[in-house]
Amino acid sequence: MYQYTDFDRAFLAERNAQFRQQVERRISGALTEDEFKPLRLMNGVYLQLHAYMLRVAVPYGTLNSAQMRKLAELAERWDKGYGHFTTRQNIQYNWPKLSDIPDMLDALAEVNLHAIQTSGNTIRNVTADHFAGAAADEIADPRPVAELIRQWSTDHPEFQFLPRKFKIAVTGSPNDRAVTKAHDIGLRMVERDGEAGFEVIVGGGLGRTPMIGKVVRDFLPRADLLPYLEAIVSVYNLLGRRDNKYKARIKITVHENGLEKIRSLVEERFATLRAQFGGVDQEMLKGIEAQFAPPAFHASDSDDFQAAYDSDPVFRSWVDTNVTAHRRDDHAIVSISLKAHGKTPGDATAAQMRVMADLAKEHAYDELRISHEQNVILPHVPRAALPRLHAALKTAGLGTANIGLVSDIIACPGMDYCALATARSIPIAQEISERFDALKLEHEIGDLKIKISGCINACGHHHVGHIGILGLDRAGVENYQITLGGDGTETAEIGQRAGPGFSADEIVPAVERLVLGYLDLRASADETFLQAYRRLGPAPFKALLYPEAREKAA
Amino acid sequence: MPRQFTPKVVTANALIEGDVVYLTSRDDWTRLLHEAEVLTDEAHAELRLLEASARHHEAVGVYLADVKLEAGIPQPTHFREDFRRTGPSNYFHGKQAESRNS
Ligand code: HEM
Ligand code: SF4
């Protein structure tokens, strides 16, 4: 795990002291809201519908147990006993008082956590695969590269005033779990002739104008990464539009100029820059890699595991859905579902956070991760510990076996909290998961990603949901639009709008018709919803959603 | 023809707690919509908005929200304002859980 230096600690203490003074001056009336707002946003403090919100960063989604315990303490002391884990691999507190926030930040600093938000039109926090350093399919841990990019870009003079903010995601394996095709730059590690390198993707993004990133270089040797990134960013810096905020992201630059032109400009620039780098970056990378060294794994024998797997069907079902292959055969990656049926996706109580912290300490080399799918991961668990781990999770209400299934829904806060929302998203997620739990068909249905956003900013990633739901305000009434066929992995696609929206009462029955209808349409039990959609096209799925239209046409 | 002016209240979020407040005719803030001053005259409403906006050490994000009068009591016309006066729907938190009357 990334080790804080004294410099980092001193910097954080100073930032917190500064913000404490700013809050005091705001409360005394010395600062107006217009003056204070940019300061609070830089420190992760937002104003929502019913209260302030504090957004705490979790770099690379990686936490140790002491940090998780601190998150629990904040929830208990200054919030309403819970926190909300988001798709941005951070945690949000929905109820802090402005006057308490400086104390919350000091408490976080005790465990080297902070709420500082990278803001402005710069290169933002780099995100990485939540299975980093653990996955069996991984070529190399992507986090050192992500950290290298962060350090290189943070104070880079040329990149402080880009046309718009810039986000980079890195995955260390060919299977993309970091939604790299929906970022300004996505890096997907691949192998060619035994050598590891990156597939470089540019111009992806969701939001108002969703686009899938395009491959600008299909294989980039690892050592060429920084000069190549710098080439892309400097081409964008030159060509990117500054006249219109909605056209300023690189996705529009690539769209308007064409991939070929971008590629040739980037390659030209790269040829010059490559000579200038001269290997300093590779020295830096070596230093960083040491900080992300894997834990000292100890061998685990699998007898206990096998006995429990053979005899306990509840445990077996949980293992089959929530456990992923680790790069060591005697270990496993555990995904803890924060999607208990009928509950708010991504929420965990203080007590649950403590249970997860204790389990990480006891069984998982003291390491936890937050996934962009709003679940918590224990990346390194000896297989022999799985039965005990599962029993403890079950007792804490954390044993739901639904990773990747219908009820593992991503939902943004929507109009229950967010001031920008046009409709609610959480209650729709709650109703869908309750409904499918009652039908007892989840495991039969298999792999299915439902993603819900409460407005076009698309924080809930609805464009890349197999079934996406977008909440809108239609003449003062909540209305939900369905998109179909979206995909956020290496075979990424933007979902297509299915047709007219549904009211809050109609949306859950519509999703039910769609999913139950798929069971009749699929070629075999192995054909997933997305595969069936790709094979058959939208027509039969639209017919399920709009039976009246079909009757009229007949 | 000028659009007809519909009744409004001045609303904002409290500076420290961040919760929803409404301006009363006594010039203080209330947490309860039914205690808010209902503004039916456009010029008066604009004036009250200006006055309230100047109180930036008490409230944040001051604006005029539409209401309709039912038996003389202001009710929200839009679901967003309905949630603001109630609280979130996934937990019994926020205004719905408080009997506070300040
Ligand atoms: C409640 C407070 C929130 C506010 C005010 C907010 C606001 C926004 C806005 C304005 C954008 C669009 C930015 C742009 O494209 O220029 C955005 C994007 C995004 N938000 Fe949020 N958001 C909030 C909460 C969340 C939460 C809770 C999550 C995670 C569950 C999230 C995840 C994202 C992501 C992933 C994007 C990027 C989408 C893209 O690729 O363009 N946001 N947010
Ligand atoms: S998608 Fe819209 S409603 Fe949802 S969190 Fe983002 S800004 Fe808020």
Side-chain angles (χ1 to χ4, degrees):
Chain A
M1 159 175 276
Y2 179 70
Q3 299 297 317
Y4 261 57
T5 60
D6 289 343
F7 174 81
D8 294 330
R9 260 186 283 272
F11 173 79
L12 199 53
E14 192 187 313
R15 268 290 283 260
N16 284 352
Q18 215 174 42
F19 187 58
R20 179 179 291 277
Q21 280 185 356
Q22 290 160 348
V23 169
E24 278 165 13
R25 295 177 60 218
R26 176 71 185 102
I27 292 173
S28 75
L31 286 177
T32 64
E33 184 60 18
D34 286 349
E35 291 162 337
F36 180 65
K37 187 174 175 184
L39 304 173
R40 69 167 160 78
L41 290 177
M42 269 164 39
N43 287 284
V45 182
Y46 299 74
L47 184 61
Q48 305 200 104
L49 278 188
H50 313 292
Y52 288 97
M53 179 267 277
L54 179 67
R55 179 181 283 173
V56 178
V58 182
Y60 309 118
T62 304
L63 291 169
N64 60 32
S65 63
Q67 292 173 320
M68 185 62 115
R69 266 192 213 103
K70 190 57 77 174
L71 296 179
E73 182 190 327
L74 261 74
E76 223 153 48
R77 277 182 71 182
W78 293 293
D79 206 90
K80 294 190 187 291
Y82 74 100
H84 177 70
F85 290 99
T86 83
T87 55
R88 281 184 166 166
Q89 296 182 305
N90 51 35
I91 178 171
Q92 297 189 173
Y93 293 101
N94 285 324
W95 300 97
K97 274 195 201 172
L98 182 59
S99 47
D100 286 339
I101 290 174
D103 291 342
M104 297 171 81
L105 295 178
D106 284 349
L108 288 170
E110 289 167 18
V111 292
N112 299 331
L113 285 175
H114 63 82
I116 298 170
Q117 302 294 310
T118 44
S119 61
N121 295 331
T122 57
I123 298 178
R124 300 295 189 82
N125 274 355
V126 184
T127 49
D129 181 358
H130 48 263
F131 288 170
D137 60 2
E138 184 172 272
I139 298 167
D141 188 337
R143 292 172 300 167
V145 166
E147 178 58 21
L148 176 70
I149 298 170
R150 189 190 72 78
Q151 293 186 8
W152 155 77
S153 66
T154 298
D155 294 313
H156 197 303
E158 200 183 331
F159 302 143
Q160 299 309 304
F161 299 98
L162 296 173
R164 196 82 177 85
K165 65 181 168 189
F166 203 89
K167 294 187 194 167
I168 302 176
V170 196
T171 170
S173 55
N175 294 307
D176 182 2
R177 287 174 291 260
V179 210
T180 57
K181 290 195 170 169
H183 285 75
D184 296 289
I185 294 179
L187 299 168
R188 189 164 73 98
M189 213 178 280
V190 289
E191 258 171 345
R192 178 177 285 181
D193 306 326
E195 190 199 351
F198 290 103
E199 177 186 74
V200 184
I201 298 152
V202 293
L206 302 175
R208 194 174 286 265
T209 325
M211 290 202 191
I212 294 301
K214 301 178 179 66
V215 177
V216 61
R217 177 70 103 90
D218 58 1
F219 186 84
L220 181 74
R222 279 205 277 185
D224 288 339
L225 184 62
L226 284 193
Y228 198 84
L229 289 183
E230 182 152 340
I232 295 175
V233 182
S234 72
V235 166
Y236 166 61
N237 209 3
L238 218 63
L239 291 184
R241 287 178 59 168
R242 293 171 195 265
D243 58 325
N244 180 340
K245 179 173 148 179
Y246 296 119
K247 303 210 160 153
R249 292 291 284 267
I250 194 175
K251 61 189 174 187
I252 309 288
T253 318
V254 173
H255 185 70
E256 288 184 346
N257 289 275
L259 184 63
E260 283 315 312
K261 179 172 168 192
I262 300 286
R263 180 181 289 140
S264 68
L265 288 172
V266 167
E267 292 292 342
E268 197 179 309
R269 184 93 184 105
F270 169 62
T272 321
L273 287 170
R274 190 177 183 212
Q276 292 170 13
F277 266 74
V280 195
D281 49 318
Q282 293 306 304
E283 286 304 307
M284 264 170 86
L285 183 59
K286 283 210 188 72
I288 297 169
E289 272 168 353
Q291 308 204 322
F292 287 96
F297 292 116
H298 40 81
S300 163
D301 97 55
S302 303
D303 295 352
D304 289 357
F305 168 78
Q306 202 56 46
Y309 189 83
D310 293 339
S311 64
D312 177 354
V314 178
F315 176 65
R316 187 159 60 237
S317 158
W318 177 79
V319 170
D320 291 344
T321 42
N322 292 36
V323 173
T324 310
H326 192 274
R327 61 197 175 93
R328 280 178 65 109
D329 286 344
D330 59 352
H331 281 59
I333 303 172
V334 169
S335 296
I336 302 174
S337 169
L338 298 185
K339 315 288 176 69
H341 298 112
K343 296 283 173 41
T344 304
D347 278 9
T349 64
Q352 289 176 326
M353 290 184 218
R354 288 203 180 95
V355 167
M356 292 188 280
D358 290 346
L359 292 172
K361 180 98 186 161
E362 192 177 344
H363 299 298
Y365 306 90
D366 205 27
E367 195 171 329
L368 303 115
R369 304 273 174 80
I370 312 305
S371 80
H372 73 88
E373 299 194 312
Q374 299 180 286
N375 293 309
V376 172
I377 315 287
L378 299 176
H380 310 293
V381 182
R383 292 189 86 85
L386 288 171
R388 267 173 299 150
L389 186 79
H390 174 247
L393 288 171
K394 220 168 46 171
T395 312
L398 291 167
T400 314
N402 65 347
I403 297 293
L405 305 183
V406 186
S407 59
D408 186 9
I409 299 173
I410 291 189
C412 79
M415 204 180 275
D416 286 306
Y417 299 91
C418 178
L420 302 177
T422 43
R424 288 174 298 174
S425 21
I426 292 169
I428 306 301
Q430 291 176 298
E431 280 174 50
I432 292 174
S433 84
E434 265 177 338
R435 182 67 194 134
F436 282 96
D437 187 38
L439 291 170
K440 295 286 167 236
L441 279 174
E442 275 205 274
H443 292 266
E444 162 89 33
I445 293 160
D447 242 19
L448 179 54
K449 291 192 192 299
I450 300 183
K451 302 184 194 251
I452 312 178
S453 305
C455 82
I456 54 165
N457 285 321
C459 300
H461 295 182
H462 66 276
H463 297 117
V464 291
H466 303 167
I467 300 175
I469 300 177
L470 168 62
L472 294 168
D473 174 350
R474 284 276 178 267
V477 181
E478 288 170 299
N479 187 273
Y480 295 90
Q481 219 169 62
I482 290 186
T483 50
L484 293 172
D487 175 5
T489 68
E490 62 281 1
T491 47
E493 246 174 274
I494 300 292
Q496 296 300 312
R497 221 187 110 191
F502 296 88
S503 72
D505 291 338
E506 294 165 345
I507 182 69
V508 179
V511 170
E512 183 177 334
R513 285 199 299 283
L514 191 58
V515 176
L516 298 186
Y518 141 75
L519 291 179
D520 297 330
L521 290 170
R522 69 183 176 187
S524 74
D526 294 332
E527 190 179 49
T528 64
F529 181 91
L530 186 62
Q531 287 164 345
Y533 181 83
R534 284 181 173 166
R535 177 173 60 85
L536 295 165
F541 294 88
K542 287 186 186 175
L544 293 166
L545 282 174
Y546 305 101
E548 327 77 43
R550 186 176 45 184
E551 276 155 30
K552 262 186 227 140
Chain B
M1 212 178 74
R3 228 158 20 102
Q4 204 200 330
F5 185 75
T6 50
K8 300 202 173 15
V9 295
V10 172
T11 182
N13 290 74
L15 173 63
I16 294 182
E17 293 82 1
D19 60 343
V20 174
V21 291
Y22 306 93
L23 190 68
T24 72
S25 55
R26 301 181 309 277
D27 259 347
D28 53 13
W29 298 99
T30 173
R31 259 114 186 148
L32 303 170
L33 176 59
H34 66 82
E35 292 179 354
E37 177 185 21
V38 179
L39 307 161
T40 50
D41 174 79
E42 184 161 12
H44 184 56
E46 290 301 328
L47 180 68
R48 295 297 280 157
L49 177 64
L50 271 179
E51 287 170 359
S53 305
R55 300 166 66 159
H56 57 74
H57 52 293
E58 294 169 4
V60 185
V62 182
Y63 66 95
L64 290 170
D66 275 312
V67 290
K68 55 183 185 240
L69 288 172
E70 279 172 13
I73 296 169
Q75 301 288 345
T77 61
H78 191 275
F79 60 93
R80 185 175 193 272
E81 291 303 323
D82 198 14
F83 295 138
R84 283 183 81 238
R85 74 152 177 185
T86 321
S89 45
N90 61 330
Y91 295 111
F92 191 67
H93 286 162
K95 288 207 177 328
Q96 59 200 337
E98 289 160 14
S99 50
R100 187 162 54 146
N101 198 348
S102 54

